[in-house]
Amino acid sequence: MSVELRTTPHLHAPDDVVRIMRNVVFALLPVCAWSVWQFGLSAAALILATLASCLLTERLFNRQNTLGDWSAAITGILLALTLPPGFPLWMAAVAGFVAMGLGKLLFGGLGMNVFNPALVGRAFVQAAFPVAITTWTPALFEGRFSQFIPGTFTPPFMIPPAVAEWNRQVAIDGFTGATPLGLHKFEGVSTSVLDLFLGNAAGSAGETSALVILLGGLYLAARGFLDWRIPLFVLLGAGVSAAAFHALDPQQYPSAGFMLFSGGLMLGAWFMATDMVGSPVTPLGVVVYGLLIGVLTIVIRLFGGLSEGVMYAILLGNAATPLIEQLTQPRVFGEKRS
């Protein structure tokens, strides 16, 4: 008789990293398709540019060929969705290089990164190219499938052309060159919550239909590929905070519905805050983490110098994850609380 000894775990789950990552990409494809429908050729070129940059960086600076795990593809797609649709492609390529190089590979590769790589790349270009990253163009403009947004093919190290005149020529319903969040924060103009939910507003390539993003997130949650508690408590924290401020002064602070469906909150809650590496794993930790991101998003939006706050809220949540896990460790059975 022979005895075979094996180390734990003895029972393996049917899902692995490749399958999970591949399904995340599948869930993002409808979001990309809606973005292309909204912004046309420039949005498609932007997605391809960041995707190619991330894949190339991963291949060049990783000794092993890890492109098959789909993680670089997810970073490239998410990064594109955080950028303006007319963002110069060379700047998008730089963002992809930084996202993979500084956000992932510098920490040791897949599973070792502290921060969400796509947001690291986005934060870099936010600081490096502040004008280009706050240059907005209208959604659903006529001719979006026959022409590119000015600035898309700006040569490297050159300043993109101004788009104000072009916006006036193609704008629908008097587009002013601002996102719904910017319009409300700086001009006091509100946007229909229904338009935000369906995706009929300007913004980054990923500020598309909240409905499409929600369906993709629910698909991943139903398959068990993300922790549904994280987006739930991100949206709960944001919704309750926004509702509280709105109750104090409805004229100054927008409604909870406006805050939930505008900007990148839905995309961030479902596809970025849920990053398995940068989020806690303790039961109480995911609640604290989600609420922290939701509340910080509203605070930054209302009282910060920028109209959007999702990116910084998630990065701060990633930074706080080790402390959150340390403070929310479950008590081991049989031990007394210290």
Side-chain angles (χ1 to χ4, degrees):
M1 182 181 70
S2 63
V3 178
E4 184 176 0
L5 299 179
R6 293 180 180 268
T7 58
T8 57
H10 302 294
L11 182 64
H12 294 275
D15 297 317
D16 56 17
V17 171
V18 174
R19 186 181 181 190
I20 293 173
M21 296 292 183
R22 185 170 60 242
N23 275 270
V24 174
V25 171
F26 293 161
L28 285 170
L29 290 180
V31 183
C32 294
W34 191 268
S35 176
V36 173
W37 167 251
Q38 277 190 301
F39 301 107
L41 296 176
S42 288
L46 177 67
I47 294 171
L48 292 176
T50 57
L51 182 59
S53 176
C54 288
L55 292 175
L56 184 60
T57 304
E58 173 93 351
R59 187 65 186 92
L60 288 177
F61 294 97
N62 200 333
R63 293 181 179 179
Q64 299 178 342
N65 185 0
T66 55
L67 297 181
D69 63 21
W70 295 76
S71 62
I74 293 176
T75 299
I77 294 173
L78 286 175
L79 176 59
L81 295 176
T82 67
L83 300 172
F87 199 63
L89 298 185
W90 77 269
M91 295 182 185
V94 170
F97 176 81
V98 172
M100 296 302 299
L102 298 183
K104 179 184 175 183
L105 300 178
L106 186 66
F107 290 97
L110 180 65
M112 304 296 289
N113 53 285
V114 177
F115 302 100
N116 182 283
L119 292 181
V120 172
R122 211 281 184 183
F124 178 85
V125 293
Q126 173 84 48
F129 314 116
V131 176
I133 208 166
T134 54
T135 298
W136 307 106
T137 51
L140 304 173
F141 63 89
E142 187 176 353
R144 60 191 182 278
F145 297 113
S146 60
Q147 62 176 311
F148 288 89
I149 298 171
T152 297
F153 292 104
T154 300
F157 309 110
M158 300 297 290
I159 300 176
V163 297
E165 180 60 32
W166 183 85
N167 283 343
R168 284 192 290 269
Q169 294 175 3
V170 303
I172 301 174
D173 297 330
F175 176 70
T176 61
T179 64
L181 284 171
L183 282 173
H184 191 282
K185 185 178 183 70
F186 302 115
E187 301 181 31
V189 178
S190 296
T191 303
S192 166
V193 174
L194 181 60
D195 285 341
L196 296 173
F197 184 69
L198 297 178
N200 298 324
S204 70
E207 292 180 27
T208 53
S209 170
L211 175 60
V212 175
I213 296 172
L214 180 62
L215 291 176
L218 290 176
Y219 163 77
L220 293 177
R223 297 292 304 275
F225 296 145
L226 61 77
D227 190 335
W228 59 268
R229 295 170 297 178
I230 293 177
L232 172 65
F233 284 100
V234 169
L235 298 176
L236 181 64
V240 171
S241 301
F245 283 111
H246 182 69
L248 290 175
D249 189 347
Q251 298 300 320
Q252 182 178 357
Y253 304 118
S255 65
F258 176 89
M259 283 298 202
L260 288 175
F261 298 136
S262 61
L265 181 58
M266 293 296 290
L267 183 69
W270 286 99
F271 289 98
M272 296 184 181
T274 53
D275 185 348
M276 295 180 180
V277 183
S279 58
V281 296
T282 58
L284 180 58
V286 296
V287 175
V288 174
Y289 172 79
L291 291 176
L292 175 66
I293 292 175
V295 173
L296 282 176
T297 298
I298 301 304
V299 171
I300 296 172
R301 283 181 175 183
L302 295 181
F303 304 106
L306 301 174
S307 57
E308 180 59 283
V310 176
M311 174 183 68
Y312 294 111
I314 295 176
L315 290 174
L316 289 171
N318 293 156
T321 289
L323 178 61
I324 292 174
E325 287 191 324
Q326 181 180 354
L327 296 177
T328 59
Q329 285 292 330
R331 180 170 61 90
V332 177
F333 180 76
E335 288 188 1
K336 295 183 179 180
R337 296 187 183 274
S338 55

